[in-house]
Amino acid sequence: MSDTIILAAILIPCLIVAIVFHEVSHGWSAKMLGDPTAKEARRLSLNPLRHVDPVGTVVLPGVMALIGGPVFGWAKPVPVNKWRLNNPRFGMMAVAAAGPGSNFVMAGIAAVVLGLLARGIDPGNVSAAMQWTITGIDYFILINIFLAFFNLLPIPPFDGSHIVEGLLPRSAARAYEKLRPVGMLLLVAVIALSWFFPDLGIIENIVLPPVEWLRGLYMGLAEAIAS
């Protein structure tokens, strides 16, 4: 088995776990704030089969990993009815923030695990299995940070757009909400530009700097635990 296939076998489960917890967090927060829609649709389960989009969660990230492209994907969105929330304006902000928040928490847990593993490792005698385990945890941290930050971008229908919408005055929020139909087109355009014109450095200049900065904080936590 080549290193590329092993890497894909590591990345895809990491992405599935990160996305599933992200979506379930939306559903649970909505339920706690008065909207049981996700529960009624049986989407509060951690069973990946209830959340996996065959193309967005498996095929696309797997292909991108194999060809060396940016690994990204999506799951079936957990249904949320803002009008069933106790406070629709605040509720949608909280529900939106819960997804990225879960990813930051999982990255923190992974950093702790990485630090604990490093305590018992002899740097001069690391087995191949342990090396791949460390690599997998490192990628899991990176995927969670990237997923959280990417979803916090204020591009409809990302989570960040719901947070911005809740912070805007009501008149401005209504105008902002009208951008939702073109939000996905904008996302596809950004991804296409970054793929076909890599010299522009769109993702590298916008997304990667804060992602790498956050990753450094999590690695610092792992190192502190390991020492």
Side-chain angles (χ1 to χ4, degrees):
M1 184 180 293
S2 69
D3 287 354
T4 302
I5 295 176
I6 294 176
L7 184 59
I10 290 173
L11 289 176
I12 292 174
C14 287
L15 186 62
I16 289 174
V17 171
I19 289 177
V20 167
F21 272 87
H22 180 107
E23 293 298 332
V24 171
S25 295
H26 285 316
W28 272 110
S29 60
K31 181 177 180 294
M32 289 188 293
L33 294 171
D35 174 25
T37 303
K39 180 181 179 181
E40 293 168 353
R42 302 178 65 192
R43 294 294 305 281
L44 296 184
S45 170
L46 293 177
N47 180 357
L49 296 179
R50 296 192 186 277
H51 306 280
V52 166
D53 180 294
V55 175
T57 318
V58 180
V59 176
L60 181 60
V63 170
M64 297 303 283
L66 288 173
I67 66 177
V71 178
F72 63 93
W74 60 83
K76 292 185 292 186
V78 166
V80 176
N81 185 341
K82 67 183 291 184
W83 302 116
R84 299 179 74 180
L85 294 166
N86 298 329
N87 182 331
R89 187 175 174 85
F90 168 79
M92 284 304 296
M93 292 175 61
V95 170
S102 71
N103 293 124
F104 286 131
V105 169
M106 283 191 290
I109 293 172
V112 171
V113 172
L114 185 61
L116 293 174
L117 276 179
R119 277 187 171 186
I121 294 177
D122 177 5
N125 185 27
V126 181
S127 67
M130 180 58 71
Q131 186 61 56
W132 279 115
T133 300
I134 293 171
T135 299
I137 296 174
D138 188 16
Y139 272 114
F140 184 68
I141 293 171
L142 185 60
I143 286 172
N144 274 284
I145 296 172
F146 184 86
L147 185 63
F149 181 79
F150 205 70
N151 273 277
L152 286 172
L153 293 175
I155 302 175
F158 285 173
D159 298 330
S161 69
H162 292 291
I163 296 173
V164 170
E165 190 176 314
L167 294 173
L168 290 173
R170 294 188 183 276
S171 58
R174 286 193 292 270
Y176 184 74
E177 188 175 11
K178 294 178 181 178
L179 297 176
R180 294 196 178 281
V182 300
M184 288 305 296
L185 293 177
L186 178 59
L187 172 62
V188 171
V190 169
I191 292 173
L193 284 172
S194 67
W195 179 252
F196 292 108
F197 303 99
D199 292 340
L200 294 177
I202 295 176
I203 293 180
E204 290 83 353
N205 295 328
I206 297 176
V207 178
L208 287 187
V211 168
E212 289 296 337
W213 177 75
L214 284 170
R215 180 173 176 271
L217 294 181
Y218 283 110
M219 288 298 104
L221 172 61
E223 291 173 3
I225 293 173
S227 60

